[in-house]
Amino acid sequence: MASVLNVILPVFALILAGFACRRLGLLGATAASEINRMVVWLCLPALLFEAMATVVWDEIWQPGFILAYGIATLGLFALVLLGCLRRTGSLADASVRGLSASYANTGYMGIPLCLLVFGDAGMEPALIACLIVICVLFALAVVCIEVGLQNEKSVLAAVRKVLLALLKNPIVMAPLLGGLWAATAQPLPAPLHQFLKLLAAATGPCALIALGLFLAHKQPGPRSHGTGLVLIKLVAHPLITWALAVYVFRLPPMWAHAALLLSALPTGTGPFMLAEFYRRDGAEVSSTILLSTLGSLLTLSICLYLIAP
């Protein structure tokens, strides 16, 4: 429990800082949107580019772990997206909900927790999970949202507009450009690498503060608390991942335990970033992040108890 608290309390502190700054009038009514735009256009692209440009593929090539975690994560995203699409008819909104149910906080919470539990060996599964969630899942959600926002009657015109939108989207292009750089096998120039690291380090804190600022606004009308999405994230995601890791791909104990722990993490700030950026309803997403982070105190503690030697 102490290990979980050490990781979760700073998350709550950053959300509370944003909440307090808005309620005390230190930051204005548009601060949440403006900070979130900074994250989407500067900080997150720097994180994605740096992650892809500096990754050592030989160290993270673990097919069993990639398949177990990837199938569970992308599969849940697809199932929730399809269920919400049938109910609401909006692909953009369904994509945000699907992301809320599958986007684990691998970067801000997963890496420190894996290092605490598994030592230096925990860095590899945490990094793989980060790449799957941030580079693959996030980009897939952006593609779905862009498709959902198009209203062209001509298929070719719609495809052209989606492709142009994706080419202009920093979240999609940054990891692709980073992958191209990695293919050259050249290290990043030191000043550029330091610049990217400084921007990337601001991603989590700024997104959490923006979330706190958003929560400080009084939301008109009835507010959904995202309880179903929280249960999917904290219960269904780790159960499916554990079944795949242990019974299908038969991963070694450390990798199976890491897969369980990383899938039991609460929802990260990614869905909120997209909801704000694309002007979707952020109330349910923000509640899902907050409640899943609180609930992860219990679920992560249970996971740590189960994997203890």
Side-chain angles (χ1 to χ4, degrees):
M1 177 67 80
S3 296
V4 178
L5 280 173
N6 288 339
V7 174
I8 289 180
L9 285 180
V11 173
F12 277 116
L14 285 166
I15 295 173
L16 180 61
F19 186 92
C21 284
R22 180 68 193 102
R23 285 298 172 90
L24 294 173
L26 301 178
L27 292 173
T30 62
S33 294
E34 293 304 317
I35 292 175
N36 191 68
R37 287 179 66 83
M38 182 191 75
V39 171
V40 170
W41 284 101
L42 289 175
C43 302
L44 184 58
L47 173 66
L48 295 173
F49 181 89
E50 198 261 346
M52 292 298 292
T54 60
V55 69
V56 180
W57 296 106
D58 291 340
E59 293 181 2
I60 65 166
W61 182 242
Q62 299 290 337
F65 180 87
I66 293 171
L67 288 171
Y69 191 82
I71 290 172
T73 301
L74 298 176
L76 269 181
F77 169 76
L79 287 174
V80 175
L81 183 152
L82 291 173
C84 293
L85 183 60
R86 287 187 60 187
R87 190 168 65 252
T88 66
S90 170
L91 179 58
D93 291 333
S95 301
V96 173
R97 289 195 179 100
L99 198 63
S100 299
S102 56
Y103 188 98
N105 195 343
T106 50
Y108 205 72
M109 292 177 60
I111 290 176
L113 194 58
C114 280
L115 290 174
L116 279 171
V117 176
F118 306 111
D120 291 341
M123 188 63 191
E124 288 184 23
L127 179 57
I128 295 171
C130 282
L131 292 174
I132 292 172
V133 169
I134 299 174
C135 295
V136 180
L137 177 64
F138 203 63
L140 179 61
V142 170
V143 171
C144 291
I145 292 173
E146 290 286 357
V147 171
L149 293 178
Q150 300 306 317
N151 52 14
E152 293 282 351
K153 294 182 180 179
S154 167
V155 174
L156 288 177
V159 170
R160 184 169 62 251
K161 285 188 70 174
V162 169
L163 290 176
L164 285 174
L166 294 176
L167 287 173
K168 296 176 183 177
N169 194 305
I171 300 170
V172 175
M173 295 308 298
L176 292 178
L177 294 174
L180 290 175
W181 184 281
T184 67
Q186 296 297 316
L188 289 168
L192 174 62
H193 197 184
Q194 184 62 18
F195 168 75
L196 292 171
K197 287 172 69 175
L198 288 170
L199 274 178
T203 303
C206 288
L208 290 167
I209 288 172
L211 174 60
L213 288 164
F214 179 83
L215 290 170
H217 286 285
K218 292 183 179 179
Q219 303 298 324
R223 181 170 178 171
S224 173
H225 295 293
T227 307
L229 297 177
V230 173
L231 290 175
I232 292 171
K233 182 68 207 67
L234 295 183
V235 180
H237 194 187
L239 286 177
I240 294 171
T241 305
W242 177 253
L244 289 171
V246 174
Y247 300 107
V248 178
F249 298 104
R250 302 184 183 277
L251 298 182
M254 192 280 288
W255 286 91
H257 295 165
L260 174 65
L261 202 59
L262 288 161
S263 59
L265 293 167
T267 302
T269 54
F272 175 75
M273 292 183 213
L274 290 189
E276 273 287 286
F277 186 70
Y278 286 104
R279 297 292 186 264
R280 316 316 296 174
D281 181 16
E284 183 180 34
V285 178
S286 60
S287 294
T288 300
I289 296 169
L290 195 62
L291 292 176
S292 65
T293 303
L294 182 62
S296 67
L297 279 169
L298 175 61
T299 56
L300 286 174
S301 297
I302 292 173
C303 290
L304 289 173
Y305 174 78
L306 292 174
I307 67 178

